[in-house]
Amino acid sequence: MLCQECEKKPATLHFTKIVNGEKTEFHICESCARERGEGIPGTSNGFSIHSLLSGLMDFEPAGGVNTIGAKPQQQLRCDNCGLTYTQFSKMGRFGCSNCYTQFGSKLDPILKRVHGNTTHVGKIPKRTGVQIQIKREIEELRRELHQRIEQEEFENAAQIRDRIRELERNIADV
Amino acid sequence: MSKRSYVEEALSDWMRGNGPDSDVVISSRIRIARNLSGHPFPLLATTQQANDVMEQLTSVAESGKLNEHGQFETIKLSQLSELERRVLVEKHLISPNLANESRSGAVMLSENEAVSIMVNEEDHLRIQCLYPGFQVKEAWGLANRIDDIFEEVTDYAFDERRGYLTSCPTNVGTGIRSSVMMHLPGLVLTQQINRILSAVTQVGLAVRGIYGEGSEALGNLFQISNQITLGQSEGEIIENLHGVARQIIEHERAARQRLLDESRVRLEDRVFRSYGILSNAMIMDTKEASQRLSDVRLGIDLGLIRDVSPQVMNEMMVLTQPGFLQQVFREKMTPEQRDIRRAELIRNQLQRKTDHGGV
Ligand SMILES: [Zn+2]
Ligand SMILES: [Zn+2]
């Protein structure tokens, strides 16, 4: 999204300003923000930085998904908690963990916008996440295997290949 | 230990003002958001469903599984008056959000108030660890271990691709919010604060006022926290915050030194003027109190004021908040009455500390 002021640089600051209950959204770049003295704490009449987050919660990506698909979007509803996608975009909150699956395909642009990313790389639950742990280990070993082969370290590569096979058997067993 | 002491005693560990780098960093906090799989999030849960979650989670504390991290007490929000809830918010032990949602909310508090585990806030479970000074990594270590204890006995909502599933998409992934509360009068006075804070927001961190969203940064206090929870590991998130905070600490110290070197008299004037006003004023609103307390705290940290301890300052920053004030004086007050009581309390505190040569 381009800065709405200069229309040249990408907007990095997103504000939601609420005056008398009326919501206005701003998407501006760093240098325009500085020029206008807005968005930076300590300046008078400026927005405070904590409103940045609510600015990030402006869910529909530029262009608006809703207008593209017209009506079928209205029907999207979580069959576990009953939350509709429209309700979700208004509240900015999911109703249950199942919503993540139900709204699956539409989430990537939102997550990308909020986090710059769509995939978890952090902690995995120890007890219930054993399978995932093993899968991650296999992925890592595969990367290493490639490297070894490229560097023509075939003996090492063979060992890694055996370890991968062993882990894959473990997954099949669980 | 009863809920009374959490409400009545002003001093949590984090307020003692004795952590590492405590001349700049007031406190370090980690919060982890978790949900139980199969249960609707608190926002949509019926009272029955919310109560089920509460029972399941509070039973972990009651089973003694948390014992190695302290003595825990479970307090149901419905047991607390509106004022008591407000006091817990001012002590940073619960979030404003939980204080408002008293229906099926609960908090499990450790005796030293370093750990507070919130139930049925926006998410089913929010584990918070609050340490004095600059101890983000230590706080994460503890929060992580407590998370493991809950994970042993409950099924978390977790997805291979999205990570820990949370009510709000801004928390999904690691579910971790790490933050440091920094006192930055030097950067404010030398007018470097805007530049630094805008740089901070460019590396994926957020800056907020003392009571989080919806409040302004009073008394030169800034909370810096991670904004991204997905696509980075917990280690990376904490390392990023730690590195940036470390740099801000150095900038703040340099700014303070510059003030001492280049405009010592003006700085002293500001500090002692505020000290004089705090010691003598009869009416003091929250905003002025925060600013004056900030000046005096700076004076203490620079060695200009030697007979008041930083602990007294941290304590007063909490004590002079509206909820606490009404708790201390045991009466419901109008804002104007509060301003008078606030001034009285500060005068007494400073008087007492000077009489006994500090704490
Ligand atoms: Zn611009
Ligand atoms: Zn749902």
Side-chain angles (χ1 to χ4, degrees):
Chain A
M1 181 184 292
L2 285 179
C3 168
Q4 65 186 47
E5 283 292 307
C6 62
E7 295 182 337
K8 281 177 199 141
K9 295 181 187 166
T12 51
L13 297 167
H14 309 273
F15 307 106
T16 306
K17 188 179 181 184
I18 299 170
V19 182
N20 298 329
E22 202 167 310
K23 219 166 116 178
T24 326
E25 272 156 8
F26 295 86
H27 308 280
I28 48 182
C29 73
E30 191 65 28
S31 49
C32 287
R34 211 174 319 213
E35 234 166 71
R36 296 177 46 171
E38 285 174 342
I40 296 160
T43 56
S44 58
N45 296 327
F47 299 97
S48 55
I49 288 278
H50 66 248
S51 64
L52 279 181
L53 245 185
S54 55
L56 286 168
M57 296 286 295
D58 165 23
F59 282 112
E60 296 301 337
V65 177
N66 275 342
T67 51
I68 298 168
K71 50 193 179 235
Q73 306 293 344
Q74 300 291 329
Q75 263 79 33
L76 200 52
R77 175 190 286 272
C78 170
D79 61 16
N80 183 46
C81 69
L83 191 80
T84 65
Y85 185 79
T86 314
Q87 285 174 313
F88 161 70
S89 23
K90 278 205 190 103
M91 295 195 304
R93 302 286 187 280
F94 295 105
C96 72
S97 50
N98 194 47
C99 290
Y100 279 92
T101 322
Q102 304 277 314
F103 304 151
S105 56
K106 302 193 78 179
L107 294 184
D108 277 356
I110 295 167
L111 296 174
K112 186 104 192 148
R113 187 149 172 213
V114 176
H115 300 284
N117 258 297
T118 58
T119 311
H120 179 61
V121 295
K123 186 175 175 176
I124 294 167
K126 286 202 174 81
R127 187 174 48 85
T128 55
V130 180
Q131 293 245 27
I132 306 169
Q133 298 270 23
I134 297 173
K135 273 198 214 162
R136 271 207 197 162
E137 199 179 326
I138 291 174
E139 277 166 32
E140 243 165 69
L141 287 171
R142 285 223 175 94
R143 271 193 294 272
E144 205 185 327
L145 182 64
H146 264 280
Q147 267 185 1
R148 296 292 179 205
I149 291 173
E150 264 172 29
Q151 289 160 0
E152 303 189 354
E153 296 172 29
F154 297 115
E155 237 171 86
N156 276 333
Q159 276 174 11
I160 292 167
R161 182 204 56 208
D162 292 344
R163 173 78 183 133
I164 291 174
R165 282 189 184 154
E166 193 187 322
L167 286 173
E168 280 171 340
R169 267 195 305 277
N170 283 350
I171 280 202
D173 289 347
V174 176
Chain B
M1 199 64 167
S2 72
K3 69 158 181 161
R4 295 272 149 223
S5 58
Y6 295 110
V7 173
E8 280 173 13
E9 277 169 34
L11 240 62
S12 295
D13 265 10
W14 71 266
M15 287 176 235
R16 291 188 198 282
N18 55 1
D21 301 300
S22 60
D23 56 326
V24 180
V25 183
I26 308 286
S27 61
S28 304
R29 169 157 52 174
I30 297 287
R31 192 215 65 203
I32 302 180
R34 298 287 186 254
N35 287 284
L36 304 185
S37 76
H39 298 260
F41 295 149
L43 194 66
L44 288 193
T46 63
T47 305
Q48 182 57 47
Q49 288 168 327
N51 281 335
D52 285 349
V53 168
M54 181 159 75
E55 261 167 49
Q56 198 178 334
L57 289 172
T58 53
S59 73
V60 175
E62 277 143 28
S63 69
K65 288 194 167 68
L66 293 169
N67 276 357
E68 69 175 284
H69 303 298
Q71 192 71 37
F72 279 81
E73 193 195 339
T74 303
I75 301 171
K76 290 186 174 153
L77 269 291
S78 57
Q79 299 169 332
L80 298 176
S81 71
E82 199 187 320
L83 186 58
E84 287 171 325
R85 276 181 248 148
R86 190 163 178 180
V87 168
L88 292 185
V89 172
E90 288 171 3
K91 289 179 86 174
H92 301 224
L93 295 177
I94 63 172
S95 63
N97 197 6
L98 186 69
N100 293 333
E101 174 49 64
S102 55
R103 199 179 43 153
S104 303
V107 59
M108 296 170 251
L109 284 172
S110 73
E111 208 166 16
N112 65 359
E113 306 183 358
V115 185
S116 75
I117 301 164
M118 287 174 259
V119 176
N120 285 330
E121 211 253 15
E122 186 178 282
D123 295 295
H124 293 142
L125 184 66
R126 287 204 163 172
I127 301 165
Q128 176 188 287
C129 294
L130 187 55
Y131 276 38
F134 191 33
Q135 303 192 72
V136 200
K137 291 178 181 178
E138 290 79 358
W140 157 246
L142 179 57
N144 191 21
R145 287 193 296 278
I146 290 174
D147 179 41
D148 289 342
I149 293 173
F150 278 93
E151 198 261 325
E152 253 170 53
V153 289
T154 50
D155 284 346
Y156 280 157
F158 182 87
D159 176 76
E160 181 171 358
R161 182 144 164 256
R162 308 295 193 200
Y164 294 93
L165 303 178
T166 52
S167 167
C168 181
T170 55
N171 294 318
V172 73
T174 57
I176 187 182
R177 193 75 60 199
S178 56
S179 60
V180 285
M181 181 70 75
M182 308 188 90
H183 184 222
L184 305 175
L187 292 174
V188 172
L189 285 172
T190 56
Q191 295 178 336
Q192 300 175 75
I193 193 78
N194 295 351
R195 191 172 54 78
I196 293 205
L197 295 184
S198 84
V200 163
T201 59
Q202 285 180 323
V203 292
L205 299 175
V207 183
R208 275 166 234 208
I210 180 166
Y211 287 122
E213 263 168 292
S215 65
E216 51 183 313
L218 289 173
N220 300 323
L221 290 170
F222 297 90
Q223 189 193 60
I224 319 262
S225 59
N226 66 297
Q227 193 161 308
I228 290 162
T229 57
L230 186 65
Q232 290 181 352
S233 70
E234 291 81 358
E236 288 167 331
I237 289 169
I238 285 165
E239 207 54 63
N240 185 30
L241 178 75
H242 191 272
V244 170
R246 171 54 63 203
Q247 286 183 46
I248 299 176
I249 293 172
E250 299 314 328
H251 281 296
E252 170 63 21
R253 284 181 183 151
R256 291 179 187 185
Q257 193 55 49
R258 212 180 101 197
L259 285 168
L260 273 183
D261 294 344
E262 292 172 13
S263 40
R264 188 178 181 107
V265 180
R266 287 183 64 167
L267 182 66
E268 283 176 333
D269 180 68
R270 185 188 178 98
V271 166
F272 288 111
R273 195 175 283 271
S274 285
Y275 191 22
I277 288 170
L278 287 177
S279 315
N280 295 290
M282 301 302 286
I283 300 172
M284 179 75 60
D285 64 26
T286 318
K287 206 174 160 196
E288 185 180 6
S290 316
Q291 190 52 54
R292 303 287 178 200
L293 288 168
S294 166
D295 289 342
V296 172
R297 175 70 200 259
L298 176 63
I300 296 169
D301 289 329
L302 288 176
L304 301 174
I305 295 174
R306 294 176 192 279
D307 53 2
V308 184
S309 85
Q311 172 175 320
V312 176
M313 299 310 292
N314 284 356
E315 197 182 329
M316 273 199 280
M317 279 173 179
V318 175
L319 271 175
T320 54
Q321 298 299 316
F324 233 111
L325 211 57
Q326 297 179 67
Q327 189 66 33
V328 170
F329 288 103
R330 304 206 171 278
E331 54 183 287
K332 208 150 171 57
M333 298 177 224
T334 65
E336 203 188 346
Q337 288 169 320
R338 283 205 295 266
D339 291 349
I340 294 171
R341 289 297 202 182
R342 181 177 296 111
E344 180 188 333
L345 186 137
I346 294 173
R347 281 198 317 273
N348 290 343
Q349 287 288 102
L350 287 178
Q351 193 60 47
R352 192 160 59 84
K353 302 305 168 189
T354 350
D355 285 349
H356 302 291
V359 174

